[in-house]
């Protein structure tokens, strides 16, 4: 598998690098949803979080924490969204695992991240939790 982020990880395609170690690369997202929007990717290919091996997964999230704190320090972000889209139905468009670090400034006109919550009073949440737990 050789996708655009594999090429960025190898340095075959340029990127604006924020952080790098043996396992991961963090670079600015071309789309810049908010100022400083950064992607963290594992250097070893996986499609998304669902098939990423645990060692790399740990390094990706360690780097995500470093980048998030750097964005707060650098630009005075007051919060941060850390998210990863897995598969097309969830909005994934580049099929190499990546975590978005999106700094928030309190008035982010380009970003609407809202969840509509359901009324769960008629749902059996305990049964759902048990059903899911069986598959872990
Ligand atoms: P997804 O939709 O898969 O969660 O996010 C893919 C992200 O990759 C998008 O936010 C998009 O702006 C970013 N992106 C796509 N191609 C490139 C590229 O060549 N370079 C950089 N820096 N970002 C890219």
């Amino acid at each position: 598998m050789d996708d655009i982020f594999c090429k960025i990880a190898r340095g075959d395609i340029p990127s604006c690098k924020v952080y790098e170690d043996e396992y991961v690369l963090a670079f600015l997202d071309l789309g810049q949803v908010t100022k400083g929007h950064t992607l963290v990717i594992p250097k070893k290919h996986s499609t998304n979080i669902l098939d990423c091996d645990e060692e790399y997964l740990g390094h990706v999230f360690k780097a995500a924490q470093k980048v998030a704190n750097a964005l707060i320090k650098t630009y005075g972000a007051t919060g941060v969204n850390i998210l990863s889209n897995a598969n097309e139905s969830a909005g994934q468009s580049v099929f190499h695992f990546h975590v978005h670090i999106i700094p928030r400034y309190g008035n982010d006109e380009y970003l609407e991240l809202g969840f509509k919550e359901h009324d769960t009073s008629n749902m059996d949440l305990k049964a759902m939790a048990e059903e899911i737990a069986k598959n872990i």
Side-chain angles (χ1 to χ4, degrees):
M1 188 63 200
D2 199 33
D3 55 75
I4 192 157
F5 287 177
C6 289
K7 292 188 173 81
I8 287 177
R10 284 200 306 270
D12 294 349
I13 290 181
S15 67
C16 295
K17 182 169 78 182
V18 168
Y19 173 80
E20 182 172 23
D21 64 28
E22 192 186 337
Y23 300 93
V24 307
L25 176 69
F27 55 98
L28 292 182
D29 189 299
L30 272 184
Q32 289 298 288
V33 167
T34 62
K35 185 177 181 180
H37 177 185
T38 299
L39 300 173
V40 182
I41 62 169
K43 288 186 174 177
K44 184 173 133 187
H45 179 82
S46 59
T47 304
N48 54 42
I49 193 170
L50 301 173
D51 65 344
C52 182
D53 82 43
E54 285 186 8
E55 188 187 13
Y56 277 81
L57 192 59
H59 287 287
V60 165
F61 279 96
K62 271 188 199 169
Q65 184 192 46
K66 286 185 205 297
V67 170
N69 279 310
L71 288 166
I72 289 168
K73 200 169 162 187
T74 309
Y75 294 129
T78 53
V80 63
N81 293 107
I82 297 177
L83 61 95
S84 187
N85 300 324
N87 290 344
E88 207 174 338
S89 61
Q92 185 175 10
S93 61
V94 176
F95 293 89
H96 181 122
F97 176 37
H98 54 281
V99 172
H100 293 262
I101 318 296
I102 304 175
R104 304 299 298 267
Y105 300 97
N107 59 346
D108 306 313
E109 56 180 314
Y110 294 108
L111 184 59
E112 278 181 35
L113 277 180
F115 296 108
K116 270 207 181 123
E117 290 176 8
H118 285 102
D119 174 2
T120 56
S121 52
N122 290 324
M123 291 171 76
D124 189 347
L125 295 182
K126 191 167 177 285
M128 270 173 69
E130 284 166 6
E131 234 166 37
I132 298 163
K134 274 187 215 149
N135 284 311
I136 290 178

